[in-house]
């Protein structure tokens, strides 16, 4: 009733009368009738425009029917578009009557349909050009292919002059036939006015129909009847689709396969044919754990210069060869390893792996490139002094790992980097970039047997060597809680509390990872109490580093320098509560879901998935460690977390690192 009262008002009405009447009397009668119904304000009706269709859409469903009812349709413009007369004529040529193309070829000659027709529906808004058919469910696909073939023929060759003349006559006859009755004339006038506000639109339309040329018909067919603008639907008898459902299984990625080459180099391959992309790379033990204060920064410098030229390629040629096919190459250094990775598309797998192999086996470490990369690395070291969290982390690690490589900085020290030579880089490369110290991964649209053969051919002659860092020692235990501080001329203070953490092989790692997750997000107890409730911090969280030997676990925050003393007390209190009580059931459950979900998200990308599988294999966890993580994480109980929290945070000495502005003089 509300809708009726809102829309059925005089100023929203067109009243049409055709016949043997007196116009003036009718107008007077209407005036008398509607005087009692004043105009009403009409709320504007907003109907959003349908966005352009950018790809074929298709739906087939079962229904309570004996035959298949099939439709194809393409979006076309509204009735006022100059293309509509040609589209209407095309629908007549294709499917109006028994002499139309679709009827003759699909029904009569091929026997693929019981009935078939075409239509051009053009209201005041954009409309549809379509083909409807009734057919045997077994013949649906064949009928669809033939109908689309007929449409393509029109797009390529157009229609004949005879077909166009016949369509024009049919159109004229249908319109004139509709005007033979008073009802037809009233309908014509009302639709003209409602849709176009032109009482003579039909006459103008028929004039336009007569002007349509053969080229016009061909043009509109090519413009609108495209694959990306097509929607295909059908309703089919129950049970007729079930047999085909199994044929439409999504392509699934294969399991990770491991191979070992004759020289001891391990190879991981995962076949994933869902996209024509391939991520590949090589990881080797090394990194900070292999460095000393005298050569600190050598891993990062070596990995960068590794890409700056080989015996047969310059740095520019390496970059151009991959970028010309949409690929990329990069290298990285970490705490326990270093890596080189390449991303390419399927046709360029051999090119990409050939380049990766060339870099690994034949890098020349040009002096000029070494000098340039030294400048860049030293600039990065200097830039770290501008980042307060980096400053805090560096001084914390130095105090937490006395006389141990984990105390070193990933970018190195200025003095050490300056003194590194070409010979140093070559010696480091030859010591660690060896077969038994590395793992190769190739994940993506590949075949495992072909990749195994390719890797054997290209890297089979890599020096075998031996697995390194197997005797890496843990840092000496921290004797007592230590306070360290750095002064920086910045309007912010940073606090970092560092504890000794676990190694990658420790059974405690799962509980620590859950504590890390629970302490780092926006719902953590640290965030809610210290930042939200007390307003004492800009940011607050936790992080950890696990390595081949025990690493670290740190809590950190950034704050106003004036609040440093108070916020330090609050942070230590929260750590103390965590050490004594562990996590709540809600915190543990949220952390488990987040940790497992993050792994699943990360594993969607073949390059990232391959890299992490290779690292797990390199560190002795096994390439299929990702399959075990969910089990181990879900197995952690509240009591487990409480014991681990007490073990690492309650009675253990820690390093409290503070970065604050200089004292005012």
């Amino acid at each position: 009733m509300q809708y009726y009262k809102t829309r059925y008002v005089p100023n929203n009405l067109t009243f049409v009368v055709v016949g043997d009447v007196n116009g003036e009397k009718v107008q007077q009668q209407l005036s008398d009738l509607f005087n009692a119904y004043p105009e009403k304000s009409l709320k504007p009706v907003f109907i959003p425009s349908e966005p352009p269709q950018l790809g074929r859409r298709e739906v087939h469903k079962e229904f309570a029917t004996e035959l298949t009812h099939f439709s194809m349709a393409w979006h076309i413009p509204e009735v006022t578009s100059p293309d509509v007369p040609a589209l209407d004529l095309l629908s007549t040529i294709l499917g109006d009557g028994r002499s139309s193309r679709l009827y003759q070829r699909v029904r009569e000659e091929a026997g693929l349909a019981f009935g078939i027709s075409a239509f051009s529906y053009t209201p005041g808004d954009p409309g549809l050009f379509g083909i409807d058919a009734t057919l045997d469910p077994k013949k649906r696909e064949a009928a669809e292919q033939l109908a689309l073939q007929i449409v393509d023929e029109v797009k390529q060759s157009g229609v004949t002059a005879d077909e166009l003349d016949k369509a024009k006559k049919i159109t004229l006859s249908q319109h004139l036939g509709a005007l033979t009755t008073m009802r037809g004339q009233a309908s014509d006038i009302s639709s003209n006015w409602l849709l176009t506000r032109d009482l003579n639109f039909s006459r103008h339309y028929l004039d336009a129909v007569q002007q349509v040329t053969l080229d016009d018909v061909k043009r509109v067919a090519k413009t609108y009847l495209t694959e990306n603008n097509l929607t295909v639907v059908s309703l089919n008898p129950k049970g007729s689709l079930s047999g085909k459902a199994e044929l439409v299984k999504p392509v699934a990625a294969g399991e990770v396969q491991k191979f070992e080459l004759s020289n001891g180099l391990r190879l991981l391959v995962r076949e994933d044919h869902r996209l024509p992309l391939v991520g590949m790379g090589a990881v080797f033990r090394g990194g900070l754990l292999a460095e000393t204060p005298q050569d600190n920064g050598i891993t990062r410098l070596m990995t960068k210069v590794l890409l700056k030229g080989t015996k047969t390629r310059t740095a520019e040629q390496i970059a151009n060869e991959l970028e010309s096919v949409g690929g990329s190459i990069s290298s990285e250094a970490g705490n326990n390893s270093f890596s080189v990775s390449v991303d390419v598309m399927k046709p360029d797998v051999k090119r990409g792996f050939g380049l990766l192999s060339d870099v690994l086996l034949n890098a020349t470490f040009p002096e000029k490139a070494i000098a340039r990369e030294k400048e860049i690395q030293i600039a990065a070291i200097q830039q770290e002094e501008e980042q307060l969290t980096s400053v805090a982390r560096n001084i914390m690690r130095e105090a937490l790992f006395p006389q141990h490589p984990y105390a070193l900085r990933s970018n190195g020290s200025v003095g050490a980097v300056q003194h590194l030579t070409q010979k140093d880089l070559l010696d480091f490369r030859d010591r660690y970039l060896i077969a038994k110290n590395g793992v190769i991964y190739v994940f993506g649209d590949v075949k495992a047997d072909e990749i195994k053969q390719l890797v054997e051919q290209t890297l089979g002659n890599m020096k075998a060597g031996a697995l390194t860092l197997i005797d890496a020692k843990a840092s000496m235990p921290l004797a007592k809680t230590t306070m360290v501080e750095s002064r920086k001329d910045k309007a912010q203070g940073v606090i970092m509390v560092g504890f000794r953490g676990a190694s990658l092989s420790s059974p405690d790692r799962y509980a620590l990872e859950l504590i890390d997750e629970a302490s780092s997000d926006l719902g953590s107890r640290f965030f809610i109490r210290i930042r939200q409730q007390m307003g004492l911090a800009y940011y607050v969280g936790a992080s950890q580093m696990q390595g081949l030997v025990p690493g670290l676990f740190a809590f950190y925050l950034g704050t106003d320098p004036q609040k440093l003393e108070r916020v330090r007390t609050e942070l230590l209190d929260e750590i103390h509560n965590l050490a004594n009580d562990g996590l709540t059931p809600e915190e543990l459950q949220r952390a488990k879901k987040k940790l497992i979900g993050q792994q699943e998200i990360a594993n969607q990308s073949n390059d990232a998935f391959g890299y992490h599988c290779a690292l797990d294999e390199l560190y002795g966890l096994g390439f299929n460690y990702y399959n075990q993580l969910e089990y181990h994480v879900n197995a952690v109980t509240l009591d487990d977390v409480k014991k681990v929290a007490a073990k690492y945070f309650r009675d253990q000495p820690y390093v409290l690192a503070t970065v604050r502005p200089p004292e005012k003089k």
Side-chain angles (χ1 to χ4, degrees), residues 257 259 267 269 271 446-457:
Q257 301 179 58
F259 306 95
L267 167 66
V269 183
E271 297 185 6
V446 295
K447 293 183 178 179
D449 54 346
E450 294 177 359
I451 293 300
K452 181 178 181 296
Q453 184 178 3
L454 175 63
V455 176
E456 188 76 66
Q457 289 172 350

Side-chain angles (χ1 to χ4, degrees), residues 424-644:
D424 294 332
L425 299 184
L426 288 168
D427 289 346
F428 191 89
R429 188 271 309 269
D430 293 342
R431 191 179 316 127
Y432 293 99
L433 207 159
I434 48 180
K436 290 184 178 180
N437 195 47
V439 178
I440 305 295
Y441 65 90
V442 182
F443 281 35
D445 195 1
V446 295
K447 293 183 178 179
D449 54 346
E450 294 177 359
I451 293 300
K452 181 178 181 296
Q453 184 178 3
L454 175 63
V455 176
E456 188 76 66
Q457 289 172 350
T458 53
L459 294 178
N461 61 346
M462 177 183 281
K463 179 184 173 183
L467 185 65
T468 66
L469 301 178
I470 55 175
D471 55 352
K473 301 290 192 298
S475 177
M476 294 293 292
L478 199 63
K480 61 179 181 177
T481 294
T482 305
M483 310 283 187
V484 291
E485 186 175 289
S486 178
R487 299 276 181 168
K488 292 293 176 182
D489 193 12
K490 300 282 185 181
Q492 186 183 140
V494 172
I495 294 175
M496 196 166 286
V497 182
F499 296 85
R500 285 290 180 80
S503 69
L504 288 164
S505 58
S506 169
D508 296 336
R509 63 171 298 185
Y510 308 106
L512 284 172
E513 287 175 2
L514 289 167
I515 293 172
D516 182 9
E517 286 295 341
S519 304
S520 299
D521 61 22
L522 301 183
S524 76
R525 61 178 66 185
F526 295 93
F527 187 91
I528 291 173
R529 180 183 173 197
I530 297 174
R531 186 183 187 278
Q532 285 193 338
Q533 294 178 355
M534 306 184 73
L536 293 177
Y538 305 136
Y539 52 86
V540 59
S543 67
Q544 63 172 333
M545 184 269 284
Q546 297 171 342
L548 291 170
V549 296
L552 65 87
F553 194 107
F555 300 90
Y556 61 88
L557 58 79
T559 186
D560 183 328
Q562 303 299 320
K563 300 177 181 178
L564 274 169
E565 308 308 321
R566 184 183 175 195
V567 77
R568 179 194 300 129
T569 301
E570 298 298 336
L571 179 61
L572 291 174
D573 280 350
E574 279 301 322
I575 296 172
H576 178 75
N577 293 337
L578 176 64
N580 285 324
D581 304 330
L583 299 175
T584 66
E586 294 77 14
E587 286 177 317
L588 181 59
Q589 191 61 27
R590 188 179 76 244
K592 285 182 177 183
K593 289 182 177 179
K594 187 177 177 185
L595 190 62
I596 294 169
Q598 284 176 337
Q599 180 196 256
E600 292 176 348
I601 292 171
N603 290 352
Q604 293 178 107
S605 165
N606 271 316
D607 48 357
F609 187 27
Y611 174 70
H612 289 298
C613 285
L615 284 182
D616 289 339
E617 176 68 22
L618 186 70
Y619 295 153
L621 301 173
F623 68 91
N624 58 352
Y625 168 74
Y626 69 95
N627 280 329
Q628 307 165 31
L629 180 64
E630 183 173 355
Y631 168 78
H632 287 301
V633 168
N634 282 327
V636 175
T637 66
L638 285 168
D639 191 52
D640 294 332
V641 172
K642 188 174 181 179
K643 289 178 180 177
V644 169

Side-chain angles (χ1 to χ4, degrees), residues 396-414:
M396 178 198 69
R397 285 176 67 152
E398 288 172 6
L400 193 60
F401 298 105
Q403 309 302 315
H404 190 270
Y406 281 167
L408 303 174
R409 303 183 182 187
S410 58
N411 281 320
S413 66
V414 173

Side-chain angles (χ1 to χ4, degrees), residues 6-304:
T6 302
R7 309 306 305 183
Y8 283 72
V9 294
N11 47 307
N12 198 34
L13 169 68
T14 300
F15 198 101
V16 181
V17 180
V18 175
D20 187 10
V21 295
N22 184 310
E24 292 181 359
K25 287 184 179 181
V26 171
Q27 187 174 0
Q28 185 60 51
Q29 285 178 297
L30 291 174
S31 296
D32 295 341
L33 176 63
F34 285 105
N35 276 339
Y37 302 96
E39 291 187 10
K40 289 187 179 181
S41 176
L42 287 169
K43 292 183 179 179
V45 178
F46 172 70
I47 302 175
S49 300
E50 176 77 13
Q53 182 172 330
L54 302 178
R56 176 178 171 134
R57 300 170 183 169
E58 188 162 357
V59 178
H60 301 286
K61 291 192 174 183
E62 294 184 352
F63 196 69
T65 178
E66 297 299 320
L67 301 174
T68 288
H69 298 267
F70 172 78
S71 291
M72 307 192 274
W74 295 263
H75 295 280
I76 59 174
E78 63 281 355
V79 69
T80 54
S81 168
D83 287 341
V84 164
L87 286 163
D88 288 347
L89 291 171
L90 176 58
S91 73
T92 301
I93 293 169
L94 285 176
D96 189 347
R98 298 187 177 187
S99 62
S100 65
R101 288 196 180 193
L102 289 169
Y103 190 93
Q104 283 295 311
R105 294 179 57 183
V106 178
R107 184 186 187 279
E108 297 294 285
E109 296 175 15
L112 296 176
F114 302 118
I116 188 167
S117 61
F119 64 87
S120 176
Y121 170 62
T122 50
D125 295 313
L128 294 172
F129 186 104
I131 296 172
D132 290 333
T134 305
L135 37 80
D136 186 310
K138 297 177 182 178
K139 297 180 179 180
R140 175 175 57 79
E141 292 179 359
E144 176 189 336
Q145 292 175 4
L146 181 54
L148 289 175
Q149 178 186 328
I150 294 169
V151 170
D152 284 339
E153 289 171 2
V154 174
K155 291 160 64 176
Q156 297 299 322
S157 306
V159 299
T160 67
D162 287 344
E163 286 177 314
L164 182 57
D165 286 341
K166 182 176 71 174
K168 289 180 178 179
K169 291 175 182 176
I170 291 173
T171 301
L172 180 61
S173 174
Q174 288 175 344
H175 273 76
L176 293 178
L179 299 178
T180 57
T181 65
M182 298 302 101
R183 180 185 293 274
Q185 291 180 38
S187 176
D188 181 65
I189 293 170
S190 60
S191 60
N192 284 348
W193 184 253
L194 181 67
L195 299 179
T196 70
R197 286 300 191 261
D198 178 6
L199 292 172
N200 295 311
F201 177 76
S202 293
R203 183 176 298 174
H204 300 152
Y205 167 80
L206 290 174
D207 290 341
V209 164
Q210 300 307 314
Q211 302 301 317
V212 171
T213 66
L214 293 171
D215 287 340
D216 291 332
V217 176
K218 183 177 178 182
R219 175 181 57 78
V220 296
K222 295 178 72 171
T223 301
Y224 299 104
L225 308 191
T226 64
E227 174 73 11
N228 287 341
N229 191 32
L230 173 63
T231 297
V232 180
V233 298
S234 70
L235 291 177
N236 303 271
K238 290 187 175 180
S240 62
L241 297 181
S242 57
K244 298 181 180 180
E246 297 180 0
L247 301 177
V248 196
K249 289 182 179 178
V251 178
E255 293 295 321
V256 180
Q257 301 179 58
K258 177 184 173 182
F259 306 95
E260 188 163 323
L261 275 61
S262 54
N263 59 359
L265 182 65
R266 287 163 285 177
L267 167 66
L268 306 179
V269 183
R270 185 198 194 208
E271 297 185 6
D272 182 0
H273 305 295
R274 292 174 295 181
L275 289 172
L277 302 172
V278 180
M280 61 182 75
V283 296
F284 299 88
R285 286 196 182 192
L288 280 186
L289 200 54
E291 296 183 9
T292 67
Q294 290 71 39
D295 66 7
N296 185 203
I298 190 171
T299 310
R300 187 167 298 276
L301 185 61
M302 187 273 294
T303 57
K304 296 305 178 185

